Amino acid sequence: MVTFWDLAIAFIIIVVFFAILYSLGKGERKGKKREALLPFVSGEKYHPMRVPYRIKWIYYVSLFTAFETAGLLVLLAFGAGVLIVLPLIYILIILLALLLAPKE
Amino acid sequence: MEYVIVVLIPIFMIFAFIVEWLERKFVARMQSRIGPLVTGPKGFLQPLADFLKLMSKEEITPTGADKLLLTIIPILQASLVTFSLMFIPIFSPEPILSYPGDLIFIIGLSAIFATLIVLTGYVTPSPYAIVGSARYAELTISFEISYVLSIASAALIAGSTIIADIARFQTVYGPIFIYAPLGFVIMLISTMAKTERVPFDIAEAETEIAGGWQVELSGRRLAFYRLSMDLELLLAISLCVALYLGGGYGPFVDVFGPIMYFVWFLVKLIILVFIVSLVEAIMARYRIDHVLRGFWKAITPLAVLQALLAVIVRAYIL
Protein backbone atom coordinates (compact mmCIF):
# COMPACT_ATOMS: atom_id res chain seq x y z
CA MET A 1 0.00 0.00 0.00
CA VAL A 2 1.44 3.39 -0.95
CA THR A 3 1.28 6.45 1.25
CA PHE A 4 0.65 10.07 0.30
CA TRP A 5 4.39 10.76 0.43
CA ASP A 6 5.11 7.85 -1.93
CA LEU A 7 2.71 9.41 -4.44
CA ALA A 8 4.19 12.87 -3.96
CA ILE A 9 7.76 11.62 -4.39
CA ALA A 10 6.79 9.60 -7.47
CA PHE A 11 5.15 12.65 -9.06
CA ILE A 12 8.11 14.90 -8.25
CA ILE A 13 10.55 12.38 -9.78
CA ILE A 14 8.47 12.27 -12.97
CA VAL A 15 8.19 16.07 -13.20
CA VAL A 16 11.95 16.48 -12.66
CA PHE A 17 12.67 13.82 -15.30
CA PHE A 18 10.51 15.57 -17.90
CA ALA A 19 11.83 19.02 -16.93
CA ILE A 20 15.39 17.78 -17.53
CA LEU A 21 14.36 16.18 -20.82
CA TYR A 22 12.65 19.44 -21.84
CA SER A 23 15.74 21.46 -21.00
CA LEU A 24 17.81 19.22 -23.30
CA GLY A 25 15.79 20.40 -26.29
CA LYS A 26 16.75 23.41 -28.36
CA GLY A 27 15.51 26.67 -26.89
CA GLU A 28 14.57 30.00 -28.37
CA ARG A 29 17.07 32.11 -30.33
CA LYS A 30 17.20 35.82 -29.58
CA GLY A 31 16.77 38.54 -32.22
CA LYS A 32 14.14 36.94 -34.41
CA LYS A 33 12.39 39.04 -37.04
CA ARG A 34 9.02 40.49 -36.10
CA GLU A 35 7.28 38.52 -38.85
CA ALA A 36 8.54 35.23 -37.46
CA LEU A 37 6.96 35.96 -34.10
CA LEU A 38 3.52 36.82 -35.44
CA PRO A 39 0.84 34.21 -34.77
CA PHE A 40 -0.37 32.16 -37.71
CA VAL A 41 -3.42 33.79 -39.26
CA SER A 42 -3.45 32.29 -42.75
CA GLY A 43 -2.80 35.54 -44.61
CA GLU A 44 -5.41 37.60 -42.76
CA LYS A 45 -4.52 40.96 -41.21
CA TYR A 46 -4.25 40.42 -37.50
CA HIS A 47 -2.42 42.23 -34.71
CA PRO A 48 -0.50 40.04 -32.29
CA MET A 49 -2.76 40.37 -29.31
CA ARG A 50 -4.47 37.95 -26.99
CA VAL A 51 -7.95 37.17 -28.26
CA PRO A 52 -10.58 38.26 -25.74
CA TYR A 53 -11.37 34.81 -24.43
CA ARG A 54 -14.16 33.93 -22.09
CA ILE A 55 -12.42 32.62 -19.01
CA LYS A 56 -15.79 31.14 -18.05
CA TRP A 57 -14.97 28.20 -20.32
CA ILE A 58 -12.08 27.12 -18.15
CA TYR A 59 -14.26 27.40 -15.03
CA TYR A 60 -16.96 25.36 -16.70
CA VAL A 61 -14.56 22.62 -17.74
CA SER A 62 -12.74 22.57 -14.38
CA LEU A 63 -15.91 22.51 -12.30
CA PHE A 64 -17.56 20.01 -14.59
CA THR A 65 -14.64 17.61 -14.31
CA ALA A 66 -14.46 18.11 -10.53
CA PHE A 67 -18.17 17.36 -10.16
CA GLU A 68 -17.88 14.40 -12.46
CA THR A 69 -15.15 12.87 -10.30
CA ALA A 70 -17.24 13.64 -7.21
CA GLY A 71 -20.27 12.04 -8.87
CA LEU A 72 -18.33 8.86 -9.50
CA LEU A 73 -17.10 8.87 -5.93
CA VAL A 74 -20.66 9.16 -4.60
CA LEU A 75 -21.92 6.49 -7.01
CA LEU A 76 -19.30 4.01 -5.87
CA ALA A 77 -19.54 5.01 -2.21
CA PHE A 78 -23.21 4.03 -2.06
CA GLY A 79 -22.10 0.43 -2.07
CA ALA A 80 -19.59 1.05 0.72
CA GLY A 81 -21.97 2.24 3.46
CA VAL A 82 -20.20 4.45 5.98
CA LEU A 83 -17.71 5.83 3.45
CA ILE A 84 -20.51 8.04 2.08
CA VAL A 85 -19.39 10.79 4.50
CA LEU A 86 -16.10 11.33 2.67
CA PRO A 87 -17.55 12.01 -0.81
CA LEU A 88 -20.13 14.30 0.76
CA ILE A 89 -17.34 16.34 2.35
CA TYR A 90 -15.62 16.38 -1.05
CA ILE A 91 -18.75 17.70 -2.74
CA LEU A 92 -19.12 20.34 -0.03
CA ILE A 93 -15.58 21.55 -0.74
CA ILE A 94 -16.31 21.75 -4.48
CA LEU A 95 -19.53 23.65 -3.80
CA LEU A 96 -17.55 26.10 -1.68
CA ALA A 97 -15.09 26.48 -4.57
CA LEU A 98 -18.01 27.18 -6.87
CA LEU A 99 -19.28 29.91 -4.56
CA LEU A 100 -15.84 31.46 -4.17
CA ALA A 101 -15.00 31.33 -7.89
CA PRO A 102 -14.55 34.84 -9.33
CA LYS A 103 -17.47 36.08 -11.35
CA GLU A 104 -16.90 37.25 -14.91
CA MET B 1 10.48 2.45 -5.55
CA GLU B 2 12.21 5.65 -6.71
CA TYR B 3 14.66 3.70 -8.88
CA VAL B 4 11.86 1.67 -10.44
CA ILE B 5 10.02 4.88 -11.36
CA VAL B 6 13.13 6.38 -12.97
CA VAL B 7 13.53 3.21 -15.04
CA LEU B 8 9.84 3.00 -15.90
CA ILE B 9 9.53 6.55 -17.32
CA PRO B 10 11.71 5.91 -20.43
CA ILE B 11 10.09 2.47 -20.80
CA PHE B 12 6.65 4.07 -20.95
CA MET B 13 7.96 6.61 -23.47
CA ILE B 14 9.29 3.81 -25.68
CA PHE B 15 6.02 1.93 -25.25
CA ALA B 16 4.08 5.05 -26.32
CA PHE B 17 6.27 5.40 -29.41
CA ILE B 18 5.61 1.74 -30.28
CA VAL B 19 1.86 2.32 -29.96
CA GLU B 20 2.14 5.35 -32.27
CA TRP B 21 4.15 3.32 -34.79
CA LEU B 22 1.59 0.50 -34.70
CA GLU B 23 -1.27 2.94 -35.18
CA ARG B 24 0.45 4.66 -38.12
CA LYS B 25 1.30 1.33 -39.73
CA PHE B 26 -2.24 -0.04 -39.33
CA VAL B 27 -3.87 3.13 -40.70
CA ALA B 28 -1.40 3.21 -43.61
CA ARG B 29 -2.01 -0.41 -44.58
CA MET B 30 -5.78 0.11 -44.48
CA GLN B 31 -5.40 3.10 -46.80
CA SER B 32 -3.15 1.12 -49.20
CA ARG B 33 -0.05 3.03 -48.09
CA ILE B 34 3.15 1.66 -46.59
CA GLY B 35 3.47 4.00 -43.62
CA PRO B 36 6.74 4.63 -41.75
CA LEU B 37 9.48 2.73 -43.57
CA VAL B 38 12.90 4.38 -43.55
CA THR B 39 13.97 4.88 -39.92
CA GLY B 40 14.76 1.53 -38.29
CA PRO B 41 13.40 -1.86 -39.34
CA LYS B 42 9.97 -1.32 -40.97
CA GLY B 43 10.13 2.31 -39.82
CA PHE B 44 9.97 1.18 -36.19
CA LEU B 45 12.05 4.11 -34.95
CA GLN B 46 10.10 6.78 -36.85
CA PRO B 47 8.13 8.15 -33.83
CA LEU B 48 11.39 8.40 -31.85
CA ALA B 49 13.08 10.13 -34.80
CA ASP B 50 10.14 12.58 -35.02
CA PHE B 51 10.46 13.33 -31.31
CA LEU B 52 14.21 13.90 -31.53
CA LYS B 53 13.82 16.06 -34.64
CA LEU B 54 11.26 18.30 -32.93
CA MET B 55 13.45 18.51 -29.82
CA SER B 56 16.32 19.80 -31.96
CA LYS B 57 14.16 22.38 -33.77
CA GLU B 58 14.14 25.98 -32.66
CA GLU B 59 11.30 26.95 -30.38
CA ILE B 60 9.30 30.06 -31.27
CA THR B 61 7.12 31.91 -28.79
CA PRO B 62 4.70 34.15 -30.70
CA THR B 63 4.27 37.75 -29.57
CA GLY B 64 1.65 38.04 -26.86
CA ALA B 65 1.85 34.40 -25.73
CA ASP B 66 2.35 33.47 -22.09
CA LYS B 67 5.85 32.01 -22.27
CA LEU B 68 5.94 30.62 -18.73
CA LEU B 69 2.69 28.71 -19.06
CA LEU B 70 3.58 27.47 -22.54
CA THR B 71 6.73 25.99 -20.99
CA ILE B 72 5.12 24.51 -17.89
CA ILE B 73 2.02 22.98 -19.50
CA PRO B 74 3.78 20.42 -21.77
CA ILE B 75 6.01 19.24 -18.90
CA LEU B 76 2.98 18.92 -16.62
CA GLN B 77 0.94 17.08 -19.23
CA ALA B 78 3.63 14.48 -19.92
CA SER B 79 4.17 14.09 -16.16
CA LEU B 80 0.48 13.65 -15.35
CA VAL B 81 -0.04 10.93 -17.95
CA THR B 82 3.15 9.08 -16.99
CA PHE B 83 2.14 9.31 -13.32
CA SER B 84 -1.26 7.81 -14.20
CA LEU B 85 0.45 4.97 -16.09
CA MET B 86 2.20 3.94 -12.85
CA PHE B 87 -1.22 2.78 -11.54
CA ILE B 88 -1.93 0.45 -14.48
CA PRO B 89 -0.82 -3.19 -14.11
CA ILE B 90 0.96 -3.42 -17.46
CA PHE B 91 4.18 -5.28 -16.71
CA SER B 92 3.01 -7.33 -13.73
CA PRO B 93 -0.26 -7.97 -11.85
CA GLU B 94 0.89 -5.49 -9.18
CA PRO B 95 1.49 -1.98 -10.52
CA ILE B 96 4.20 0.15 -8.98
CA LEU B 97 1.61 2.46 -7.38
CA SER B 98 -1.74 1.23 -6.11
CA TYR B 99 -4.16 2.18 -3.33
CA PRO B 100 -7.93 2.00 -2.70
CA GLY B 101 -9.57 4.52 -5.00
CA ASP B 102 -6.71 4.80 -7.51
CA LEU B 103 -9.22 4.46 -10.35
CA ILE B 104 -10.97 7.65 -9.24
CA PHE B 105 -7.62 9.36 -8.78
CA ILE B 106 -6.71 8.53 -12.40
CA ILE B 107 -10.02 9.96 -13.64
CA GLY B 108 -9.25 13.17 -11.75
CA LEU B 109 -5.77 13.32 -13.31
CA SER B 110 -7.15 12.81 -16.81
CA ALA B 111 -9.60 15.66 -16.16
CA ILE B 112 -6.66 17.93 -15.31
CA PHE B 113 -5.01 16.83 -18.56
CA ALA B 114 -8.09 18.00 -20.50
CA THR B 115 -8.10 21.32 -18.66
CA LEU B 116 -4.43 21.85 -19.56
CA ILE B 117 -5.25 21.41 -23.25
CA VAL B 118 -7.96 24.05 -22.96
CA LEU B 119 -5.49 26.32 -21.16
CA THR B 120 -2.93 25.93 -23.97
CA GLY B 121 -5.26 27.58 -26.45
CA TYR B 122 -6.03 30.31 -23.94
CA VAL B 123 -2.39 31.34 -23.46
CA THR B 124 -1.66 31.41 -27.19
CA PRO B 125 -2.43 34.61 -29.15
CA SER B 126 -3.98 32.91 -32.16
CA PRO B 127 -7.64 32.78 -33.18
CA TYR B 128 -7.17 29.19 -34.39
CA ALA B 129 -5.81 28.11 -31.00
CA ILE B 130 -8.71 29.77 -29.20
CA VAL B 131 -11.26 28.07 -31.44
CA GLY B 132 -9.44 24.75 -31.02
CA SER B 133 -9.37 24.95 -27.23
CA ALA B 134 -13.02 26.03 -27.08
CA ARG B 135 -13.87 23.03 -29.24
CA TYR B 136 -11.89 20.74 -26.96
CA ALA B 137 -13.72 22.16 -23.94
CA GLU B 138 -17.07 21.41 -25.58
CA LEU B 139 -15.87 17.95 -26.56
CA THR B 140 -14.64 17.25 -23.02
CA ILE B 141 -17.96 18.20 -21.49
CA SER B 142 -19.77 15.89 -23.90
CA PHE B 143 -17.61 12.75 -23.71
CA GLU B 144 -16.47 12.81 -20.08
CA ILE B 145 -19.76 11.64 -18.59
CA SER B 146 -19.96 8.59 -20.82
CA TYR B 147 -16.24 7.89 -20.27
CA VAL B 148 -16.57 8.04 -16.50
CA LEU B 149 -19.79 6.00 -16.47
CA SER B 150 -18.20 3.28 -18.59
CA ILE B 151 -15.30 3.12 -16.11
CA ALA B 152 -17.79 3.15 -13.20
CA SER B 153 -19.66 0.23 -14.78
CA ALA B 154 -16.53 -1.93 -14.65
CA ALA B 155 -15.83 -0.80 -11.07
CA LEU B 156 -19.42 -1.54 -10.01
CA ILE B 157 -19.32 -5.04 -11.48
CA ALA B 158 -15.96 -5.83 -9.84
CA GLY B 159 -16.96 -4.09 -6.60
CA SER B 160 -13.63 -2.31 -6.31
CA THR B 161 -11.98 0.98 -7.17
CA ILE B 162 -8.49 -0.48 -7.32
CA ILE B 163 -7.43 -1.07 -10.93
CA ALA B 164 -5.27 -4.10 -10.11
CA ASP B 165 -8.17 -5.67 -8.14
CA ILE B 166 -10.60 -5.13 -11.03
CA ALA B 167 -8.17 -6.90 -13.38
CA ARG B 168 -7.73 -9.73 -10.84
CA PHE B 169 -11.52 -10.07 -10.40
CA GLN B 170 -11.70 -11.12 -14.06
CA THR B 171 -9.50 -14.18 -13.48
CA VAL B 172 -12.40 -15.68 -11.49
CA TYR B 173 -15.49 -14.37 -13.28
CA GLY B 174 -14.15 -13.85 -16.80
CA PRO B 175 -13.63 -10.53 -18.61
CA ILE B 176 -16.04 -7.74 -17.62
CA PHE B 177 -16.46 -7.22 -21.36
CA ILE B 178 -18.86 -10.21 -21.29
CA TYR B 179 -21.09 -8.62 -18.63
CA ALA B 180 -20.91 -5.07 -19.97
CA PRO B 181 -20.21 -5.07 -23.72
CA LEU B 182 -21.95 -1.73 -24.10
CA GLY B 183 -19.64 -0.17 -21.50
CA PHE B 184 -16.62 -1.50 -23.36
CA VAL B 185 -17.75 0.01 -26.68
CA ILE B 186 -18.61 3.33 -24.98
CA MET B 187 -15.23 3.42 -23.29
CA LEU B 188 -13.48 2.80 -26.60
CA ILE B 189 -15.47 5.55 -28.37
CA SER B 190 -14.84 7.99 -25.51
CA THR B 191 -11.15 7.06 -25.55
CA MET B 192 -10.97 8.04 -29.21
CA ALA B 193 -12.64 11.36 -28.45
CA LYS B 194 -10.34 11.93 -25.48
CA THR B 195 -7.20 11.35 -27.52
CA GLU B 196 -8.56 13.38 -30.47
CA ARG B 197 -8.46 10.50 -32.91
CA VAL B 198 -10.42 10.63 -36.19
CA PRO B 199 -13.46 11.04 -36.38
CA PHE B 200 -13.30 13.12 -33.17
CA ASP B 201 -10.32 15.31 -34.08
CA ILE B 202 -12.47 18.44 -34.26
CA ALA B 203 -10.25 20.35 -31.84
CA GLU B 204 -7.26 19.98 -34.21
CA ALA B 205 -9.04 19.80 -37.57
CA GLU B 206 -6.02 20.71 -39.73
CA THR B 207 -8.11 21.55 -42.78
CA GLU B 208 -10.47 23.85 -40.85
CA ILE B 209 -8.52 25.45 -38.02
CA ALA B 210 -4.91 24.59 -38.95
CA GLY B 211 -4.25 22.32 -35.96
CA GLY B 212 -6.40 24.19 -33.42
CA TRP B 213 -4.83 24.55 -29.99
CA GLN B 214 -1.49 23.20 -31.30
CA VAL B 215 -1.12 25.78 -34.08
CA GLU B 216 1.51 27.95 -32.35
CA LEU B 217 3.50 25.13 -30.78
CA SER B 218 6.92 24.39 -32.17
CA GLY B 219 10.18 22.67 -31.28
CA ARG B 220 10.36 20.92 -27.93
CA ARG B 221 6.88 22.14 -26.92
CA LEU B 222 5.34 20.36 -29.88
CA ALA B 223 7.55 17.31 -29.22
CA PHE B 224 6.21 17.15 -25.65
CA TYR B 225 2.60 17.62 -26.72
CA ARG B 226 2.90 14.81 -29.23
CA LEU B 227 4.58 12.62 -26.64
CA SER B 228 1.79 13.43 -24.16
CA MET B 229 -0.88 12.46 -26.66
CA ASP B 230 0.91 9.16 -27.38
CA LEU B 231 1.19 8.48 -23.65
CA GLU B 232 -2.47 9.41 -23.23
CA LEU B 233 -3.47 6.89 -25.93
CA LEU B 234 -1.34 4.24 -24.22
CA LEU B 235 -2.95 5.08 -20.87
CA ALA B 236 -6.52 5.07 -22.17
CA ILE B 237 -6.13 1.78 -24.05
CA SER B 238 -4.23 0.14 -21.18
CA LEU B 239 -7.02 1.19 -18.81
CA CYS B 240 -9.53 -0.35 -21.21
CA VAL B 241 -7.52 -3.60 -21.24
CA ALA B 242 -7.26 -3.65 -17.44
CA LEU B 243 -10.91 -2.84 -16.78
CA TYR B 244 -12.69 -4.79 -19.50
CA LEU B 245 -10.34 -7.43 -20.92
CA GLY B 246 -8.81 -8.82 -17.73
CA GLY B 247 -5.48 -6.98 -17.90
CA GLY B 248 -2.60 -9.31 -18.69
CA TYR B 249 -4.30 -12.40 -17.28
CA GLY B 250 -4.71 -15.30 -19.69
CA PRO B 251 -3.65 -18.90 -20.30
CA PHE B 252 -0.19 -19.98 -19.04
CA VAL B 253 0.26 -16.90 -16.82
CA ASP B 254 0.55 -19.22 -13.80
CA VAL B 255 3.26 -21.23 -15.55
CA PHE B 256 5.41 -18.49 -17.08
CA GLY B 257 4.68 -15.68 -14.60
CA PRO B 258 5.04 -11.95 -15.34
CA ILE B 259 6.52 -12.50 -18.82
CA MET B 260 3.37 -14.26 -20.00
CA TYR B 261 1.27 -11.65 -18.17
CA PHE B 262 3.00 -8.90 -20.16
CA VAL B 263 2.65 -10.85 -23.42
CA TRP B 264 -1.12 -11.17 -22.89
CA PHE B 265 -1.40 -7.49 -22.01
CA LEU B 266 0.51 -6.63 -25.18
CA VAL B 267 -1.71 -8.85 -27.35
CA LYS B 268 -4.88 -7.25 -25.99
CA LEU B 269 -3.38 -3.79 -26.35
CA ILE B 270 -2.44 -4.43 -29.98
CA ILE B 271 -5.98 -5.66 -30.74
CA LEU B 272 -7.45 -2.45 -29.30
CA VAL B 273 -4.92 -0.29 -31.18
CA PHE B 274 -5.96 -2.14 -34.32
CA ILE B 275 -9.66 -1.41 -33.68
CA VAL B 276 -8.91 2.28 -33.03
CA SER B 277 -6.81 2.43 -36.21
CA LEU B 278 -9.56 0.72 -38.20
CA VAL B 279 -12.11 3.34 -37.13
CA GLU B 280 -9.57 6.07 -37.85
CA ALA B 281 -8.88 4.76 -41.34
CA ILE B 282 -12.46 4.27 -42.47
CA MET B 283 -14.15 7.35 -41.04
CA ALA B 284 -14.06 11.04 -41.79
CA ARG B 285 -14.13 13.82 -39.22
CA TYR B 286 -17.53 14.56 -37.68
CA ARG B 287 -18.92 18.05 -37.45
CA ILE B 288 -18.75 19.42 -33.92
CA ASP B 289 -22.53 19.69 -33.50
CA HIS B 290 -22.91 16.08 -34.65
CA VAL B 291 -20.37 14.90 -32.08
CA LEU B 292 -22.00 16.86 -29.25
CA ARG B 293 -25.48 15.68 -30.22
CA GLY B 294 -24.26 12.09 -30.55
CA PHE B 295 -22.63 12.06 -27.14
CA TRP B 296 -25.41 13.87 -25.27
CA LYS B 297 -28.41 12.22 -26.93
CA ALA B 298 -27.16 8.70 -27.62
CA ILE B 299 -23.94 7.67 -25.90
CA THR B 300 -24.49 9.29 -22.48
CA PRO B 301 -28.00 7.77 -22.00
CA LEU B 302 -26.58 4.40 -23.07
CA ALA B 303 -23.75 4.83 -20.56
CA VAL B 304 -26.30 5.56 -17.80
CA LEU B 305 -28.21 2.45 -18.85
CA GLN B 306 -24.99 0.44 -18.73
CA ALA B 307 -24.22 1.70 -15.21
CA LEU B 308 -27.70 0.60 -14.06
CA LEU B 309 -27.24 -2.78 -15.74
CA ALA B 310 -23.88 -3.10 -13.98
CA VAL B 311 -25.61 -2.68 -10.61
CA ILE B 312 -28.11 -5.40 -11.58
CA VAL B 313 -25.31 -7.72 -12.76
CA ARG B 314 -23.45 -7.19 -9.51
CA ALA B 315 -26.53 -7.71 -7.35
CA TYR B 316 -28.19 -10.66 -9.07
CA ILE B 317 -25.77 -12.45 -11.39
CA LEU B 318 -22.31 -12.40 -9.75
Side-chain angles (χ1 to χ4, degrees):
Chain A
M1 193 69 70
V2 293
T3 61
F4 170 77
W5 292 111
D6 288 333
L7 293 178
I9 290 167
F11 186 65
I12 289 166
I13 290 171
I14 294 167
V15 171
V16 169
F17 179 92
F18 280 113
I20 292 169
L21 186 66
Y22 187 85
S23 67
L24 292 176
K26 193 172 180 181
E28 205 164 350
R29 210 171 53 199
K30 293 259 163 62
K32 286 206 78 76
K33 285 183 182 170
R34 189 177 170 274
E35 287 76 26
L37 296 172
L38 289 177
F40 173 73
V41 283
S42 187
E44 297 290 323
K45 280 191 177 168
Y46 177 77
H47 296 288
M49 55 168 276
R50 191 81 63 80
V51 177
Y53 186 78
R54 301 183 75 185
I55 193 82
K56 241 169 35 179
W57 264 117
I58 292 176
Y59 286 136
Y60 284 159
V61 174
S62 312
L63 286 172
F64 175 83
T65 45
F67 270 114
E68 162 203 73
T69 315
L72 181 68
L73 208 60
V74 174
L75 185 74
L76 296 173
F78 274 123
V82 290
L83 280 177
I84 190 77
V85 179
L86 289 174
L88 285 178
I89 292 170
Y90 184 50
I91 287 180
L92 201 68
I93 292 169
I94 296 171
L95 281 172
L96 274 174
L98 186 65
L99 288 173
L100 295 174
K103 305 285 183 298
E104 196 180 24
Chain B
M1 188 189 75
E2 290 81 6
Y3 298 112
V4 181
I5 288 172
V6 172
V7 173
L8 272 179
I9 301 168
I11 292 175
F12 280 135
M13 284 173 68
I14 293 166
F15 210 3
F17 288 141
I18 293 171
V19 168
E20 188 198 326
W21 173 78
L22 273 173
E23 187 192 7
R24 284 168 70 172
K25 267 295 193 199
F26 283 149
V27 173
R29 298 308 294 179
M30 284 173 218
Q31 293 173 341
S32 298
R33 294 185 287 113
I34 297 169
L37 187 68
V38 179
T39 320
K42 302 269 182 196
F44 188 71
L45 298 174
Q46 191 60 52
L48 177 66
D50 290 346
F51 179 77
L52 293 176
K53 185 198 78 177
L54 284 172
M55 286 292 281
S56 63
K57 288 266 183 183
E58 193 193 347
E59 182 180 70
I60 296 170
T61 310
T63 313
D66 193 321
K67 194 176 175 181
L68 181 68
L69 276 176
L70 271 183
T71 306
I72 292 172
I73 292 173
I75 297 171
L76 255 184
Q77 276 191 322
S79 308
L80 280 174
V81 188
T82 312
F83 186 48
S84 304
L85 275 165
M86 301 285 170
F87 292 91
I88 313 283
I90 296 178
F91 302 105
S92 75
E94 286 304 324
I96 181 79
L97 298 174
S98 178
Y99 71 95
D102 56 7
L103 184 64
I104 298 168
F105 185 58
I106 278 195
I107 294 171
L109 290 180
S110 80
I112 298 173
F113 183 84
T115 313
L116 287 176
I117 289 182
V118 177
L119 202 60
T120 307
Y122 174 64
V123 297
T124 316
S126 164
Y128 292 103
I130 295 285
V131 172
S133 72
R135 280 185 176 198
Y136 194 81
E138 288 170 358
L139 193 64
T140 303
I141 287 175
S142 59
F143 73 70
E144 277 286 332
I145 292 179
S146 51
Y147 183 68
V148 168
L149 282 175
S150 62
I151 290 174
S153 301
L156 283 167
I157 289 173
S160 172
T161 52
I162 305 171
I163 300 167
D165 280 0
I166 297 173
R168 203 172 296 116
F169 165 87
Q170 297 169 70
T171 56
V172 181
Y173 294 97
I176 292 178
F177 165 73
I178 297 167
Y179 307 103
L182 194 58
F184 174 71
V185 174
I186 290 169
M187 189 170 178
L188 216 51
I189 293 172
S190 306
T191 294
M192 292 190 72
K194 201 173 182 59
T195 53
E196 293 186 73
R197 257 55 190 179
V198 179
F200 304 108
D201 61 332
I202 48 173
E204 290 175 22
E206 292 243 347
T207 48
E208 294 170 39
I209 50 172
W213 56 273
Q214 298 181 9
V215 69
E216 291 301 337
L217 303 175
S218 56
R220 53 188 178 176
R221 282 180 196 141
L222 188 58
F224 262 62
Y225 275 109
R226 290 187 55 167
L227 172 68
S228 303
M229 291 314 265
D230 286 346
L231 285 165
E232 177 73 13
L233 181 68
L234 173 65
L235 170 70
I237 290 186
S238 301
L239 195 60
C240 213
V241 169
L243 296 184
Y244 278 96
L245 301 179
Y249 292 105
F252 308 115
V253 170
D254 296 337
V255 183
F256 295 103
I259 295 171
M260 202 62 203
Y261 178 91
F262 179 61
V263 169
W264 274 115
F265 200 98
L266 208 59
V267 169
K268 292 170 185 177
L269 188 105
I270 290 170
I271 291 170
L272 289 193
V273 172
F274 177 77
I275 295 171
V276 168
S277 309
L278 181 70
V279 177
E280 252 184 272
I282 62 173
M283 294 192 81
R285 186 187 311 125
Y286 281 127
R287 242 171 50 191
I288 186 156
D289 56 324
H290 288 176
V291 175
L292 300 188
R293 199 181 306 143
F295 270 107
W296 279 111
K297 290 190 173 176
I299 296 176
T300 303
L302 285 174
V304 174
L305 178 72
Q306 177 57 79
L308 291 173
L309 287 174
V311 174
I312 294 168
V313 167
R314 177 71 192 173
Y316 298 105
I317 298 173
L318 295 174

